[in-house]
Amino acid sequence: MAHNGSLLAQLQQAGVVDTEQTQRLAQHGSPWWLQLLLGFAAWIASLLIISSFVGPLLALTDNNAVRLFAAVILLATAIWLATQTQEFLQHMSVAIAMAGQGLLVYALYDLFGQQEDVPRYASALISGLLLFSPLNQLHQRVSLSIAAACLLSLLSSAAALAVVSSVLAATAVWLWCNRPHWTSFVQASRIKSLLEVATLAALSLTLFGQCLLVVDSSNWLDDKLALAQALYSALGSILLISTVFWLSRLATVPSRLVLLSITTLLCVLLYPASGLLASSALLLACFYGCSQRWAALCLLSMLFALSQFYYSLELNLLHKSGLLALSGLLVLAAWLLLQRYQRRLV
């Protein structure tokens, strides 16, 4: 520990890291089981504090002004706790902020005549504003997830959902491929949270898009499901080809042309499996960005999309088996080409 401290001091004197980065590097992460216990204890403590404060306050009066005041107090307390370094207080900050946000959204919902869209707009706006406060990464991910869920719930068009899914996937691929450039930014932690939420949302939406004709979506989507599936497949193909085009930029021209040709043929063969195409692009980007956890999650998404495609009733089994066999041969050819290219570099 003393050796690490002297090394950090030398790096700070040399101007390699600033004071904030030095403090961040000096912090030693706790074991996962201790973090789990601290989080559980913090949420229990937060629930007790919130119930003892908000419960009597709301029981004595039924006024939106009182609710707004209590919500502001809770949010201010959460922001103050977020500035503390203890993990216990960091978890308490997330719990108290969610309680304050829920109370604020409920007060605005009642204040605007109980309109259905008001809570979703308000929750997305409040979550976006909280992102600019001194939150830890857990709270940033929670706020971004709430905002994304509220905004996506406002969509009632299947075609618009396909476009939004492709935009999120393209944004995630671009951020993963440019990870070495933005890690040194001051707002790197917020960009990382945005990247992870965008990746998770893109994987979820692209799998949902592949299952559009299976899942009963008539309650909130329009009837243009076939158009939406075509958009999912077309935009997923463009995303995969663009990703391979960028990742193979250092390869020789013949090798690059062969890789792009193989990718195009894969997009043609697996055109009905839109989730498999977008998940493959995200897998390549996560692997390039050196993230094993997200690459594993993308691989699980690919397996789910492959299983859904194989057991769907849109095509007969012989046709699907032939498409998958040809796709496997193309992937094998691409792997052999990459192995040959690596041997040339060595």
Side-chain angles (χ1 to χ4, degrees):
M1 294 177 61
H3 177 70
N4 292 335
S6 61
L7 178 60
L8 289 175
Q10 293 177 4
L11 291 175
Q12 185 177 2
Q13 291 178 359
V16 179
V17 295
D18 55 13
T19 305
E20 183 180 356
Q21 292 174 337
T22 303
Q23 294 176 355
R24 193 185 309 121
L25 292 173
Q27 295 176 358
H28 297 276
S30 304
W32 65 269
W33 55 269
L34 182 57
Q35 293 182 0
L36 186 62
L37 290 177
L38 286 174
F40 181 75
W43 281 77
I44 294 298
S46 301
L47 291 176
L48 294 175
I49 295 174
I50 293 168
S51 60
S52 63
F53 169 70
V54 179
L57 185 65
L58 297 181
L60 294 176
T61 179
D62 187 11
N63 194 327
N64 288 323
V66 176
R67 294 169 183 161
L68 292 174
F69 175 76
V72 171
I73 293 297
L74 289 175
L75 290 175
T77 304
I79 293 175
W80 178 77
L81 289 174
T83 60
Q84 309 302 311
T85 57
Q86 292 86 354
E87 294 182 4
F88 182 83
L89 298 180
Q90 292 285 324
H91 284 282
M92 284 190 65
S93 169
V94 180
I96 293 177
M98 290 185 66
Q101 183 174 348
L103 185 59
L104 183 58
V105 169
Y106 178 76
L108 293 175
Y109 170 71
D110 190 48
L111 191 63
F112 283 90
Q114 298 184 352
Q115 298 181 10
E116 294 183 358
D117 292 339
V118 170
R120 289 179 281 186
Y121 282 115
S123 183
L125 178 61
I126 296 168
S127 299
L129 293 176
L130 285 176
L131 186 63
F132 296 96
S133 61
L135 305 179
N136 57 10
Q137 287 193 350
L138 173 62
H139 201 165
Q140 291 173 6
R141 296 186 186 100
V142 171
S143 297
L144 284 171
S145 300
I146 293 174
C150 293
L151 294 177
L152 289 174
S153 65
L154 294 170
L155 295 177
S156 59
S157 172
L161 192 64
V163 174
V164 171
S165 173
S166 300
V167 170
L168 286 173
T171 303
V173 168
W174 184 82
L175 288 175
W176 280 117
C177 292
N178 291 276
R179 189 178 185 184
H181 300 287
W182 55 262
T183 49
S184 59
F185 292 171
V186 178
Q187 304 295 332
S189 62
R190 290 183 173 86
I191 297 176
K192 182 181 178 182
S193 301
L194 175 64
L195 169 60
E196 293 181 349
V197 173
T199 305
L200 183 61
L203 289 174
S204 303
L205 289 177
T206 192
L207 293 178
F208 178 79
Q210 185 174 327
C211 305
L212 268 180
L213 298 180
V214 179
V215 179
D216 185 12
S217 309
S218 58
N219 292 329
W220 59 283
L221 291 178
D222 53 17
D223 297 330
K224 299 180 180 179
L225 300 184
L227 175 62
Q229 277 204 325
L231 283 174
Y232 269 110
S233 298
L235 296 176
S237 301
I238 294 173
L239 179 63
L240 180 58
I241 294 173
S242 302
T243 304
V244 174
F245 178 81
W246 191 87
L247 292 177
S248 62
R249 65 192 183 281
L250 299 180
T252 59
V253 175
S255 301
R256 196 177 190 186
L257 289 176
V258 173
L259 285 175
L260 289 174
S261 301
I262 291 175
T263 305
T264 305
L265 289 175
L266 276 175
C267 292
V268 173
L269 292 174
L270 299 176
Y271 187 80
S274 58
L276 187 59
L277 298 175
S279 299
S280 300
L282 288 169
L283 173 64
L284 294 175
C286 292
F287 184 80
Y288 180 81
C290 302
S291 178
Q292 296 180 352
R293 293 181 301 172
W294 284 100
L297 184 61
C298 292
L299 184 59
L300 290 177
S301 176
M302 291 176 61
L303 292 176
F304 179 84
L306 185 63
S307 302
Q308 193 279 333
F309 172 69
Y310 187 77
Y311 290 105
S312 63
L313 302 178
E314 300 176 17
L315 300 174
N316 61 70
L317 184 60
L318 182 61
H319 189 186
K320 289 182 290 189
S321 299
L323 292 178
L324 293 177
L326 290 176
S327 301
L329 291 175
L330 287 175
V331 173
L332 179 61
W335 178 76
L336 293 174
L337 177 63
L338 290 174
Q339 291 292 320
R340 182 181 178 183
Y341 179 72
Q342 287 182 346
R343 285 196 296 268
R344 286 183 177 180
L345 292 180
V346 175

